[in-house]
Amino acid sequence: MRTLPLTLALLLSTACAPGIAQPRITNLEPALQLAKAREAQPAQLYAGWRVFQQRCASCHGPAADGAGGGANLLLRMQGLGPQRFVDLALRRYDGLLGLPKGEGAAREALLDELVDRRAAPLSMPAWQGDAVVQAHVMDLYAYLAARAENRLPAGRPAR
């Protein structure tokens, strides 16, 4: 039983000893492939920008910087992964606003009032019932993530 801690201590002391070569990672290809896969395509960025301009810019500003009085999404997107983004954008806010579940005239009327700023928003509406946002939520994420990471300037991206 005592041999395991002693063996471990011996291995650690020899691995950290001067003159002993440390392991080097020579195959960076998987990391490069992951980084490339994360890069959004121009069509995806453009689609995300269009959805943002249609549904989000009136509150968050046309550059997503909070100029419309809503939250600065460039700051809020820092470290926000796609799953958490989808959860926040599509589901989180229903309970906070007391929005009716599913689709219906009452829900749509309240969302229209919030978007048109006729009603003071308590918080951002959930977009789960909006077909455009649902269809393009990952495009919206790609656009906002690219803006937040300074990979995309403000304004209309190329198609």
Side-chain angles (χ1 to χ4, degrees):
M1 242 185 234
R2 291 188 91 204
T3 59
L4 182 61
L6 290 174
T7 305
L8 185 57
L10 180 62
L11 284 172
L12 286 175
S13 65
T14 57
C16 298
I20 294 181
Q22 300 297 318
R24 293 180 53 189
I25 298 172
T26 56
N27 182 8
L28 297 176
E29 190 59 31
L32 295 174
Q33 287 174 351
L34 284 173
K36 185 161 181 70
R38 188 163 188 256
E39 290 179 21
Q41 300 300 314
Q44 187 180 20
L45 294 173
Y46 179 77
W49 172 82
R50 285 195 59 192
V51 171
F52 183 83
Q53 296 306 314
Q54 292 170 353
R55 302 294 199 271
C56 312
S58 63
C59 292
H60 296 286
D65 58 3
N72 180 342
L73 296 182
L74 302 180
L75 297 176
R76 296 260 173 115
M77 289 296 295
Q78 300 290 325
L80 189 66
Q83 289 178 329
R84 181 74 175 133
F85 175 81
V86 169
D87 186 51
L88 288 171
L90 296 182
R91 291 180 283 278
R92 176 179 173 222
Y93 301 99
D94 277 342
L96 295 175
L97 287 173
L99 291 176
K101 298 268 187 223
E103 297 179 26
R107 176 187 172 84
E108 295 304 314
L110 181 55
L111 288 174
D112 287 342
E113 287 180 21
L114 291 170
V115 170
D116 293 340
R117 293 178 173 238
R118 293 181 302 221
L122 301 174
S123 64
M124 190 184 100
W127 295 103
Q128 188 170 11
D130 188 298
V132 173
V133 174
Q134 281 188 313
H136 296 283
V137 69
M138 291 312 297
D139 298 332
L140 185 58
Y141 172 78
Y143 166 72
L144 289 171
R147 288 279 299 119
E149 295 168 3
N150 292 318
R151 294 183 285 118
L152 185 68
R156 182 182 181 158
R159 285 185 185 208

